[in-house]
Amino acid sequence: MNDITPTTNGLIIDGESFFSSQAFDVINPSTGELVGKAQDASVQDLDRAIKAGKTAFETWSKLSSDELKSYCLKVTEKITEYSEEIATLITKEQGKPLNGLGSRWEMGGAAAWAGYTSHLELPVKTLQDNEEGRVELHRKPIGVVGSITPWNFPVMIAVWHILPALRSGNTVVVKPSPYTPLSTVRLVEVMNMVLPKGVVNCVTSSDKNENIGKAMSEHSDIGKIVFTGSCETGQKIMQTAAPTMKRLTLEMGGNDAGIILPDVDPVAIAEPLFWGAFINGGQTCAALKRLYIHEDVHDDVCQALVKFAKNIPVGDGMNEESILGPVQNSMQFEIVSRLVKAGKSEGRVLLGGETNGLFHPITIIDGLSQNNALIKNEQFGPVLGIVKYSTIEEAIEMANDSENGLGGSVWSSDIDKAKSVASQLECGSVWINKHGAIQPNAPFGGVKKSGLGVEFAEEGLHEYTDIQVIFS
Ligand code: NAD
């Protein structure tokens, strides 16, 4: 059951699998083995996919809200039906375990988001209705949406992009990361079992010279780009998209701070603290990436966190015993190693160990200053740096001392006190006594360089529409 080999890994254009003249290898980061091959699309292939999306839009955009909802619910059913197969593919190409908060959990999230998004509505809003006239706000689909996704949650993020686009009457061309394309290809194939041709297309690319993502951002027949990935790429997309005035939703990097107030119960917070930082091996945009602990509880919190962390099994994700997997690729592994080295040069390693291939041990480094590279930069790996603080003003200042502003957390047994600290943090989401717990009914997005716009809920759905106001 778990040992599936992907046999269909073409581009998905106009409902058909299409094989390009070139293909590239997709490697399992746990074993170094070949998982499968993906097509290396040319710009002409991309043009064909966009044309299919544009043609399908003519009919799809005219469907009623109930018809769109019904299609989205059918897509949700298919995601659920194929979840074990796609979870296995995610584990093989991404590395995260089947178990724990791994690929099965990702598929559960994908289905939950798809279902919730299917039920969202875009009602006409009456702004005025009196003797002077009636004014209505309508929301109209934009056209072909280009979705560009990263390698950390390949299927869940694709669903975050695709479902709201479909629900609001747009068609889609999705381009997955070259590191994890196969699960997205399969997802789109499965969606195509119930969707009309051309509504969702998938173009894979090895990203030589960033060609396909760049061509999507430039293309005059794509009306909107929704992107999740690094800040640098998001900025490039914004520049490339400017001449065509594309609508943009950019979900980018974060360097989320967590602040521990002196009144916490160290043992009670250890588990949520660990998962806030180490979910998906830390390769999560809104993971806790730097931890500020008040001096009164510093030693006890460190001790409880290390005690919890050292029992987490790290290994090949196909092994049901594994709870965390490897770093997904060597490029990211190098970044993590460089930042760990910087951390070790100043701090004290509370938990660590030897690396093995792309497996990096869960690493916790204490005694860092605000200017250490491990605190200043997003590590995006299984590593957490800790800074001790004395006053809450100092902790808030350090937490806000970042170009990013995705998420943050405050840990305290006094919720009102925690909320008052939360309101002073410069970030799009703040959690109290947990970190990174996103949900489909709450908008999610970053401030500062972490992004533009939001995903999820009605606010996220609105980003897939243009407003038209009708005055009568
Ligand atoms: P990345 O920016 O390197 O790649 C993301 C996608 O962009 C890939 O599909 C890639 O092929 C494509 N791309 C590369 N160059 C492009 C260009 N010039 N134009 C258009 N597309 C291009 O990011 P990554 O390494 O895959 O992911 C890691 C980063 O993503 C981290 O910084 C992390 O914080 C961030 N991230 C953010 C969120 C969020 O919701 N905020 C979620 C997950 C990951």
Side-chain angles (χ1 to χ4, degrees), residues 164-199:
L166 299 186
R167 181 64 188 90
S168 47
N170 300 278
T171 58
V172 179
V173 175
V174 56
K175 190 208 81 67
S177 164
Y179 294 109
T180 53
L182 300 175
S183 51
T184 309
V185 172
R186 190 64 182 136
L187 172 77
V188 172
E189 270 180 340
V190 162
M191 289 180 168
N192 270 277
M193 292 173 184
V194 290
L195 289 174
K197 286 182 172 198
V199 170

Side-chain angles (χ1 to χ4, degrees), residues 194-455:
V194 290
L195 289 174
K197 286 182 172 198
V199 170
V200 182
N201 307 277
C202 179
V203 171
T204 51
S205 160
S206 68
D207 264 7
K208 282 190 219 97
N209 309 319
E210 305 172 353
N211 61 342
I212 294 298
K214 184 162 174 289
M216 287 171 77
S217 328
E218 280 169 349
H219 208 290
S220 54
D221 284 336
I222 286 191
K224 172 190 172 79
I225 293 280
V226 51
F227 165 78
T228 303
S230 64
C231 294
E232 295 71 25
T233 307
Q235 286 170 344
K236 283 185 198 167
I237 289 173
M238 203 168 177
Q239 282 172 346
T240 323
T244 49
M245 287 301 288
K246 283 185 179 49
R247 279 71 184 119
L248 295 174
T249 301
L250 304 175
E251 296 291 354
M252 290 134 79
N255 191 11
D256 291 11
I259 300 180
I260 309 252
L261 300 187
D263 62 359
V264 293
D265 174 346
V267 174
I269 65 168
E271 182 171 352
L273 199 52
F274 175 82
W275 286 115
F278 290 94
I279 181 172
N280 206 29
Q283 300 163 109
T284 305
C285 51
L288 199 171
K289 294 185 177 131
R290 44 197 177 113
L291 184 59
Y292 298 94
I293 310 183
H294 191 271
E295 58 191 4
D296 287 358
V297 284
H298 171 270
D299 293 358
D300 291 345
V301 171
C302 287
Q303 196 183 25
L305 180 61
V306 168
K307 189 172 173 205
F308 185 84
K310 69 180 176 202
N311 291 322
I312 300 294
V314 180
D316 184 340
M318 293 302 289
N319 179 348
E320 298 277 356
E321 305 296 309
S322 300
I323 297 294
L324 290 180
V327 175
Q328 205 281 328
N329 58 70
S330 53
M331 178 246 338
Q332 191 61 40
F333 192 89
E334 291 309 315
I335 295 172
V336 171
S337 303
R338 180 169 47 79
L339 293 175
V340 166
K341 196 170 165 207
K344 281 179 176 170
S345 71
E346 181 189 18
R348 196 162 58 93
V349 179
L350 301 182
L351 187 66
E354 297 300 312
T355 60
N356 173 18
L358 290 177
F359 286 97
H360 194 289
I362 296 169
T363 302
I364 300 176
I365 305 182
D366 180 32
L368 299 178
S369 60
Q370 178 65 7
N371 286 327
N372 189 281
L374 179 56
I375 297 297
K376 280 285 186 193
N377 298 282
E378 182 192 34
Q379 65 274 43
F380 216 63
V383 180
L384 181 65
I386 297 175
V387 177
K388 196 197 290 194
Y389 75 87
S390 307
T391 68
I392 188 60
E393 292 74 21
E394 180 198 358
I396 293 169
E397 194 182 327
M398 289 192 286
N400 288 339
D401 173 29
S402 170
E403 289 189 328
N404 292 116
L406 193 55
S409 57
V410 185
W411 303 71
S412 169
S413 48
D414 181 338
I415 301 295
D416 288 335
K417 199 192 287 174
K419 277 191 185 168
S420 136
V421 175
S423 67
Q424 298 174 67
L425 296 183
E426 296 166 358
C427 50
S429 306
V430 192
W431 293 275
I432 293 171
N433 294 330
K434 54 190 171 186
H435 196 113
I438 50 175
Q439 48 192 64
N441 59 350
F444 172 69
V447 302
K448 302 202 272 190
K449 283 192 182 171
S450 283
L452 190 72
V454 293
E455 296 191 86

